[in-house]
Every structure is written in C-alpha cells, then in structure tokens.
C-alpha cells in the first residue's frame, strides 16, 4: 500500500508540474486542434503490442550502435538500422497523422514555421548548456564521447544518419507510441519511454537531453494531433546541433579518440 501511494504521489507531482508548464507555454504548444483519431479496441491493442516489441528492439540496437567505433561501417549500418526499426514499427502499428495548427483566422494548415522556430530555440538553450557542460568534467566527457562520431566521421554519412534517426524517432515515439499509451497522460508516458530508450546508450548527456526534448516533441504532438511539427523541430534542432556543437568541443583532446562513445 505504501509503495502504491508513493507511485500515486509521484504521478500527481508529475501532473502538477506538467500543468504549471502548460500554463506558461505559448498557445501553439498548448491549444489542441480538433481531431478524431479514434480506433477500435482491436486496433488499439495491436498498436500496443507492436510498439512494445519495437521499443525494446530499437533501444537494444541503439545501445549497440554507440558501442561501435566512430566512422566504422558497422556504426553507419547499425544507426541506419535503428532508424529503419523505428519507422517500420511506426508504420506497422497503425495509422499515423501529420497534424494541423490553427491560424489567427481560424483556418487550419500544416505546421511549418513555428516548429522551425521551436527547434532553433531549443538549440539555443542547449548550446548555452553545452558551454556550461565544458566546465563539468563528467558532462564534458559524456558530450565529447558523442561528438567523436561527428568529429571523426564522414560528414555526409553523419548528417544522413542523424537526420534519418531524428525523423524516425518522431514517427515512432510521437506517432505510434503516443497513440499507444492511451488518452491519460500521453505526454508524460511517451516522454518517459523515449528517455528510457535513450538509457540504452549509457551516455548521461544523451539521457539528459532526451527529457526536455521528449517533452517538447510530445507537447507538439498533443497540440497539433500529428508528427509533422515534432519532425520539423527535431530536424531543425539536430542540424544546428550537428553544425555548431562539434566546434565548441574541438579543443578537447579526447574528441579524436577512436574508441567507441561509451563510458570507460
């Protein structure tokens, strides 16, 4: 009974925190556009089975991919395999939706400019956090381990795999999984699974980054009713991170270490 109460208390704290967050958020991240995504019980349970299996498989492949040496054929093959797993799982789970935003004239359009701004804003916050992380040895080491792949890799292949995984994660986590967790607290539940999948990388920097970004993408999914907004924000954020973060850590001697990006 005590354990149940503790879990309930934690859930209430999380809900209250989300409520406070939404109260301060802009309307495009809060106001939900009309949608009808109802599906039969059979389809819903099938979606849950598919997303459950793919979550475990994808997380496992993600962990293995970051155990490979930077710029190795196996690294590129595995990271593309992770992206293919997320996309295949998302498509196989059931219908996916692009989503809409409401204009000031009360018309509906596909989200475009606002997600770009959101992704750029998220990058600005992360760039500032990265500058602070350089002065915190454990975080500095964790970020550097990830950036080895960009520093030592083929620029075209690194960009392709980064963008492929960004799009694929939204197809699965904000598309299929968000729909599979049910109508109660889908933002918190889908974000928690997203962060748990990132734990497989065993890199604290990636896990920490997954928390705010997972919430942002899930809130976009909640408001728009689809994956287009989070896809655009994720791609924008990824491109800027890939372009501007590696130079910030280029002076770190360990960034040229060819060993896998795993904790020592």
């Amino acid at each position: 009974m005590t354990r149940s109460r503790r879990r309930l208390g934690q859930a209430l704290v999380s809900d209250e925190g989300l409520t406070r967050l939404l109260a301060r958020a802009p309307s495009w991240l809060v106001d939900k556009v009309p949608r009808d995504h109802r599906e039969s019980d059979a389809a819903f349970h099938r979606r849950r089975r598919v997303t459950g299996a793919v979550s475990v498989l994808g997380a496992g492949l993600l962990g293995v991919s970051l155990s490979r040496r930077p710029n190795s054929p196996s690294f590129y093959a595995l990271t593309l395999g992770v992206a293919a797993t997320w996309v295949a799982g998302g498509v196989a789970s059931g219908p996916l939706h692009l989503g809409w935003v409401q204009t000031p004239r009360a018309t509906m359009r596909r989200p475009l400019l606002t997600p770009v701004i959101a992704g750029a804003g998220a990058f600005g916050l992360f760039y500032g956090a990265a500058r602070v992380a350089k002065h915190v040895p454990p975080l500095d080491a964790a970020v550097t381990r990830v950036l080895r792949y960009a520093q030592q890799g083929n620029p075209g292949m690194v960009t392709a795999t980064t963008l492929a995984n960004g799009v694929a994660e939204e197809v699965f986590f904000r598309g299929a999984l968000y729909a599979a967790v049910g109508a109660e607290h889908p933002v918190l539940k889908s974000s928690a699974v997203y962060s748990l999948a990132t734990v497989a990388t065993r890199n604290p920097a990636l896990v920490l980054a997954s928390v705010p970004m997972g919430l942002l993408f899930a809130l976009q999914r909640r408001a728009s009713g689809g994956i287009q907004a989070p896809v655009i924000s994720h791609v924008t954020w990824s491109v800027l991170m890939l372009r501007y973060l590696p130079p910030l850590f280029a002076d770190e001697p360990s960034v040229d270490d060819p060993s896998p990006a795993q904790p020592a």
Side-chain angles (χ1 to χ4, degrees):
M1 180 66 71
T2 302
R3 183 176 301 174
S4 299
R5 288 178 178 175
R6 186 181 300 115
R7 289 177 178 173
L8 177 59
Q10 291 172 345
L12 290 174
V13 169
S14 298
D15 291 342
E16 290 173 0
L18 181 60
T19 299
R20 289 195 297 270
L21 176 65
L22 293 178
R24 300 175 182 175
S27 60
W28 56 265
L29 202 57
V30 177
D31 296 340
K32 297 171 65 175
V33 299
R35 84 287 303 269
D36 182 6
H37 294 169
R38 288 174 295 183
E39 55 188 9
S40 67
D41 289 344
F44 178 69
H45 291 306
R46 179 181 180 280
R47 189 189 290 274
R48 281 196 159 183
R49 290 194 298 271
V50 171
T51 54
V54 173
S55 295
V56 175
L57 176 60
L61 284 175
L62 179 61
V64 173
S65 70
L66 288 185
S67 70
R68 295 300 187 260
R69 295 172 68 88
N71 204 33
S72 64
S74 61
F75 167 70
Y76 295 125
L78 282 166
T79 50
L80 289 174
V82 173
T85 299
W86 295 140
V87 171
V91 172
S93 72
L96 302 172
H97 308 276
L98 290 177
W100 301 89
V101 293
Q102 189 166 327
T103 69
R105 297 182 178 181
T107 59
M108 305 294 285
R109 62 173 175 79
R110 298 294 187 188
L112 182 58
L113 181 59
T114 302
V116 172
I117 296 173
F123 161 74
L125 294 175
F126 270 81
Y127 188 83
R131 297 186 70 90
V132 174
K134 282 179 63 70
H135 303 287
V136 182
L139 288 178
D140 179 64
V143 174
T144 302
R145 285 196 299 270
V146 177
L147 293 181
R148 288 175 188 167
Y149 290 103
Q151 185 78 7
Q152 301 174 35
N154 176 283
M157 287 298 298
V158 170
T159 300
T161 55
T162 299
L163 298 185
N165 275 275
V167 173
E169 286 176 7
E170 299 314 308
V171 168
F172 182 74
F173 289 100
R174 261 60 67 175
L177 183 69
Y178 188 98
V181 297
E184 290 192 9
H185 320 304
V187 170
L188 294 175
K189 290 179 180 177
S190 61
S191 299
V193 176
Y194 181 58
S195 294
L196 285 173
T198 311
V199 170
T201 67
R202 294 187 292 160
N203 187 292
L206 292 177
V207 176
L208 287 174
S210 73
V211 175
M213 296 311 295
L215 285 172
L216 171 63
F217 299 144
L219 286 171
Q220 289 178 305
R221 166 66 168 84
R222 173 184 178 274
S224 69
I227 63 173
Q228 181 166 317
V231 163
I232 293 173
S233 289
H234 199 147
V235 167
T236 302
W237 177 72
S238 295
V239 167
L240 293 173
M241 293 284 279
L242 197 58
R243 170 63 180 84
Y244 293 104
L245 217 58
L248 184 62
F249 289 81
D251 59 338
E252 300 284 349
S254 59
V255 82
D256 293 320
D257 188 337
S259 61
Q262 292 287 349

